Amino acid sequence: MNCEQEEKRILLNEAGELSPREAAALAAHLAACAGCRSFRDALRRFDTVARTQQAAVTFPAFLGARVLADAEQYRQARRMRHQRAVRLLARAAAIVMLLGAAGGAGVYGHWQRQANRTAEVAGVLAVLIDEEGTGSPVVPGDHHHGLAHDLLQLEGLDEDLSSADLLSLADEKA
Amino acid sequence: MSIEASTDEIRDGELLTRYQAGDSEALAVLVERHSPALYRLALTMTGQSADANDVVQEVWRRVVRKSGGFRGDSFRGWIFRICRNHLIDRSRGRKPTVSLDEGVGDGGTTRLDLLPGHGLEPDAAAERREWCAQLAAAVDALSPEQKEVFLLRAEGLDFKEIARVQRVPLNTALARMHYAVGRLRKSLGAEFATERRGK
């Protein structure tokens, strides 16, 4: 008979952790084994004394209040940290948006200047080319714009080129 | 939180969830429910009421800060594990002592004064106090692991929970308790061990 194993079963049984079948088998063993009964009785005796002993220890009333105050303090500090983080994040987002807007405005401005320049050159070309020979102001068409764009691209013209320079260049091309 | 008539029926896990959602009162229920057991364990393990106070406070501090880390099915097992880890941390470099003459509260009450015996006939009360003193001394002489198992079991944890708290297999927890009982029987003698309840 392996009483060490049975004694471990006693431990489990006292804690209600044995299945009914195992508990029945243990009961049968206990009926026949004085050593294991003695172990069980000692365990119960220790449990009784230990539990009454522990029940007699008074939990300090102030401690619960202190724990809760500490938790509340932590929660408030955390809330403040969270709010500060949100504010910082909002500021960072605003800065990013401003930078983005400024950058976007720069890109847009560059594109707009280029478009204006192309339109200007197209207008000059339209007058110079005056395909119909009317001699009157001509509304630049798509092909004038296309030519102006190509001219600017091919010549690598500086955006700051004056209208006079443009006219002379156009003369040359013509 | 609207605390119903039977807060005992609200599971620990649910209370923790409510606390995480901002319900401070849920934490108060948990603290009230579990602190006495934590305190008793800490008091027995440290031997000093001031240390036990610190341990309980630190355990709840960790619970509050790591409440999102609770994944298990036993909140009680989780907080006892936190308590155990903290006790191990703080015991490094310290020698825990238990003195029955040590004060445990205001007004000069000692642990010896708190041992059971109130309401009994003088002889019976004295005898019971003596049993408790003997058991306390014998338990204190156990190894820390055996002592823990013994105390956790006295707090009502089953062996599965104790094994989780100690992060050991069930058989190890059982073996520790088995050795503990053997040592207590040896040190306290057959007369103590065979004493009947209610004497």
Side-chain angles (χ1 to χ4, degrees):
Chain A
M1 194 74 73
N2 184 355
C3 280
E4 186 177 325
Q5 287 305 316
E6 295 304 325
E7 285 168 358
K8 286 179 183 172
R9 284 182 201 278
I10 290 169
L11 294 173
L12 287 170
N13 194 43
E14 294 297 305
E17 294 181 87
L18 273 192
S19 69
R21 196 172 58 84
E22 289 174 313
L26 176 65
H29 173 79
L30 283 170
C33 181
C36 283
R37 282 201 303 275
S38 171
F39 180 90
R40 182 201 57 192
D41 292 346
L43 178 67
R44 288 180 176 175
R45 170 93 177 122
F46 296 148
D47 283 347
T48 303
V49 177
R51 284 174 184 154
T52 49
Q53 186 184 22
Q54 292 199 318
V57 175
T58 310
F59 176 67
F62 69 89
L63 191 52
R66 189 190 284 177
V67 164
L68 294 175
D70 189 45
E72 186 55 30
Q73 195 178 6
Y74 171 74
R75 173 175 279 197
Q76 283 181 2
R78 193 175 157 197
R79 192 179 297 140
M80 285 175 67
R81 277 201 306 275
H82 178 72
Q83 287 172 347
R84 197 160 53 235
V86 168
R87 281 199 299 274
L88 283 173
L89 199 62
R91 282 182 195 164
I95 289 169
V96 167
M97 284 173 68
L98 282 173
L99 288 173
V107 170
Y108 177 77
H110 177 73
W111 174 82
Q112 191 66 44
R113 280 194 299 278
Q114 277 197 331
N116 290 344
R117 206 73 178 137
T118 304
E120 189 180 351
V121 174
V124 172
L125 289 174
V127 171
L128 290 172
I129 294 171
D130 188 14
E131 287 157 342
E132 294 178 3
T134 61
S136 58
V138 176
V139 178
D142 285 347
H143 65 288
H144 295 119
H145 279 93
L147 280 170
H149 179 74
D150 290 346
L151 184 64
L152 289 169
Q153 290 291 316
L154 287 170
E155 298 298 329
L157 293 179
D158 194 328
E159 285 179 5
D160 296 330
L161 209 61
S162 68
S163 293
D165 293 335
L166 272 173
L167 282 170
S168 65
L169 277 169
D171 277 339
E172 285 173 21
K173 291 290 173 188
Chain B
M1 179 178 74
S2 60
I3 296 290
E4 295 85 354
S6 54
T7 50
D8 287 351
E9 291 173 7
I10 306 174
R11 288 174 176 272
D12 292 339
E14 187 185 335
L15 286 168
L16 189 65
T17 304
R18 290 186 188 185
Y19 172 66
Q20 287 168 333
D23 184 349
S24 300
E25 210 172 331
L27 180 69
V29 176
L30 286 170
V31 169
E32 188 182 348
R33 187 178 288 177
H34 295 291
S35 291
L38 286 172
Y39 177 77
R40 286 192 293 268
L41 178 71
L43 181 62
T44 312
M45 296 301 285
T46 63
Q48 306 287 331
S49 59
D51 287 345
N53 291 345
D54 290 347
V55 168
V56 171
Q57 199 166 353
E58 182 57 29
V59 169
W60 286 109
R61 196 171 283 152
R62 292 184 186 190
V63 167
V64 164
R65 282 156 181 71
K66 299 177 178 177
S67 59
F70 172 61
R71 295 281 184 275
D73 54 1
S74 168
F75 178 78
R76 185 173 59 165
W78 185 55
I79 59 170
F80 271 110
R81 189 159 64 238
I82 292 173
C83 184
R84 177 178 189 265
N85 290 342
H86 180 57
L87 284 166
I88 290 171
D89 288 346
R90 62 179 287 135
S91 70
R92 290 191 177 115
R94 292 188 190 197
K95 183 169 173 53
T97 54
V98 173
S99 168
L100 293 175
D101 295 327
E102 184 236 340
V104 293
D106 300 330
T109 308
T110 67
R111 294 185 77 200
L112 192 60
D113 293 332
L114 290 173
L115 294 176
H118 299 292
L120 297 175
E121 292 299 316
D123 286 351
E127 192 177 41
R128 179 168 279 198
R129 283 162 62 118
E130 191 184 336
W131 297 337
C132 289
Q134 284 178 24
L135 183 64
V139 168
D140 192 48
L142 295 173
S143 75
E145 292 80 11
Q146 292 170 11
K147 191 167 153 182
E148 263 177 19
V149 177
F150 186 88
L151 295 171
L152 289 171
R153 193 171 169 282
E155 288 296 345
L157 273 73
D158 61 35
F159 279 102
K160 283 179 189 164
E161 283 180 308
I162 293 170
R164 276 193 222 112
V165 169
Q166 293 198 320
R167 293 184 184 278
V168 294
L170 178 64
N171 270 333
T172 304
L174 278 172
R176 284 174 177 172
M177 184 64 191
H178 187 252
Y179 283 122
V181 173
R183 285 192 62 180
L184 292 175
R185 289 178 79 185
K186 197 172 175 183
S187 59
L188 292 169
E191 190 183 343
F192 182 100
T194 54
E195 202 79 48
R196 291 289 161 200
R197 246 180 288 182
K199 180 176 176 180

